[in-house]
Amino acid sequence: DPDLSRWPAIDDYLLKLACESGVALESLVGADSCVKFASVRTLDDVRARWNSMLRDDAFARACVRRLAEVRDDEIERAIAQRVAPRGATLREVLERAGLGTSRRRDGGAETEPESDDGAPPRFSRAEQAILRSDLVERTEAGRAAETKAKAKREVGRGANATTLKKIKALERSAQAATARLATAKGALAELVGANVTFEIAKRDCVIGRSTEDLKVDVDLGSEGNASKISRQQAFLKLRWNGEFALRNVGRRPIWCNNSPLTTGQRCILAPHTLIEVGGMRLLFLPNPTLIRAASPELLEKIA
């Protein structure tokens, strides 16, 4: 590997020991560097080499195999000749790091030296201890947070179920109240707008815009500006099976629950259908009570 061969193996070994012992990369370059490499190295060279050893998996594996072949006497000689004492213990730290480690010649993992009360801890061991401790703390905190979140979800799920039941009960009550009011007015259905509620009292009715010459059953001019509404915009019919059918006979499309209904087309209106035409919105509300009364033979078929 050309990248690997740019540095002698002993230089890689000294770089590894120095960095693991906590020596700053800046202290490994320059005229007064604490480690003398075989050739002059710049800070960028040292930083790039160390980053490759740490982050490049293929490079790191090749480097480990290469370092395993370095002899102990070569390491001793390099430490004695090429490590300049910096502070009180730098050489001691490097010596302990290099000579106190039993290296496996088969390329396997290094084994830790026997305990030495006077030896300072290796940087790599301290780093791993910190990372493991931090990982344990994060794991425990994550488990606690997950347990708390799960408990909240369970509580929220129960609360949501209760709320949905209340909403459904309110909807049934509102529908029943609307049906009673419509029955009192004799309405088979209602078209509820923003300003006016139109009662549908006949089985067949015309929806549109009333003029002096033509009157319609549902005059949308009462709801608001009906300039975009045809005089006869739609026919609404209660069919034999109890369903209301809406047929568009105007020039403009009618939208039923966001589905367009063009001229000549017809659709069945389900309860709470939203009808939009000419900028107006109407909510369709049938009255099952009077629909059954109007067609008693369909009592079992009409919801």
Side-chain angles (χ1 to χ4, degrees):
D1 189 338
D3 292 335
L4 191 64
S5 61
R6 289 177 183 175
W7 284 47
I10 190 62
D11 281 10
D12 281 336
Y13 205 93
L14 292 176
L15 174 62
K16 173 178 176 292
L17 295 180
C19 291
E20 287 184 345
S21 301
V23 178
L25 295 180
E26 291 79 0
S27 300
L28 301 177
V29 297
D32 57 345
S33 63
C34 60
V35 174
K36 303 298 182 182
F37 295 111
S39 60
V40 178
R41 306 291 181 185
T42 65
L43 180 58
D44 290 340
D45 293 337
V46 174
R47 182 179 289 114
R49 192 72 173 185
W50 183 237
N51 284 338
S52 297
M53 295 171 70
L54 289 178
R55 296 180 174 85
D56 189 330
D57 290 342
F59 185 91
R61 285 193 292 269
C63 190
V64 167
R65 290 193 296 269
R66 188 173 182 231
L67 294 181
E69 298 175 358
V70 180
R71 300 190 308 274
D72 289 341
D73 61 336
E74 187 178 356
I75 297 173
E76 293 179 12
R77 186 166 55 254
I79 292 176
Q81 297 175 358
R82 297 167 56 180
V83 175
R86 174 72 63 86
T89 61
L90 175 58
R91 182 175 296 194
E92 296 175 3
V93 169
L94 292 179
E95 288 175 350
R96 291 192 182 98
L99 302 180
T101 301
S102 176
R103 299 183 298 129
R104 292 179 56 179
R105 295 294 181 181
D106 58 359
E110 297 180 352
T111 58
E112 295 296 334
E114 297 181 356
S115 61
D116 184 356
D117 295 337
R122 292 184 61 183
F123 176 76
S124 59
R125 294 179 61 188
E127 180 185 36
Q128 291 300 319
I130 293 172
L131 292 176
R132 283 195 297 270
S133 175
D134 187 40
L135 178 62
V136 170
E137 291 179 0
R138 290 199 304 269
T139 302
E140 293 178 351
R143 289 174 180 171
E146 177 62 24
T147 301
K148 187 175 181 180
K150 184 176 180 180
K152 285 186 177 180
R153 286 196 297 269
E154 293 296 332
V155 173
R157 192 176 293 112
N160 288 339
T162 303
T163 302
L164 288 175
K165 289 181 179 179
K166 292 181 179 180
I167 291 175
K168 290 180 179 179
L170 289 174
E171 287 179 346
R172 288 193 295 269
S173 299
Q175 291 171 2
T178 301
R180 287 195 297 270
L181 182 60
T183 301
K185 296 179 181 180
L188 294 168
E190 291 181 338
L191 291 174
V192 181
N195 303 312
V196 180
T197 297
F198 301 97
E199 284 84 21
I200 309 300
K202 300 188 301 182
R203 297 179 66 97
D204 296 90
C205 67
V206 179
I207 302 174
R209 172 172 51 87
S210 292
T211 63
E212 293 182 359
D213 300 330
L214 177 66
K215 301 297 181 182
V216 295
D217 300 301
V218 177
D219 181 12
L220 296 181
S222 303
E223 172 66 13
N225 183 6
S227 60
K228 297 182 180 180
I229 304 295
S230 300
R231 286 181 296 176
Q232 288 189 339
Q233 181 66 55
F235 293 155
L236 184 63
K237 178 181 179 63
L238 176 61
R239 302 176 66 192
W240 62 271
N241 60 353
E243 295 177 333
F244 274 92
L246 181 69
R247 182 182 179 189
N248 185 7
V249 295
R251 293 177 300 172
R252 298 181 181 275
I254 299 175
W255 295 81
C256 297
N257 288 337
N258 292 326
S259 297
L261 192 68
T262 58
T263 302
Q265 288 186 324
R266 181 178 61 181
C267 73
I268 302 300
L269 296 182
H272 302 94
T273 296
L274 180 62
I275 303 171
E276 299 176 86
V277 57
M280 297 183 183
R281 293 185 174 185
L282 302 169
L283 185 65
F284 174 71
L285 299 176
N287 181 8
T289 302
L290 285 190
I291 292 175
R292 294 190 189 98
S295 303
E297 69 278 6
L298 303 177
L299 183 61
E300 298 299 328
K301 296 184 180 180
I302 301 176

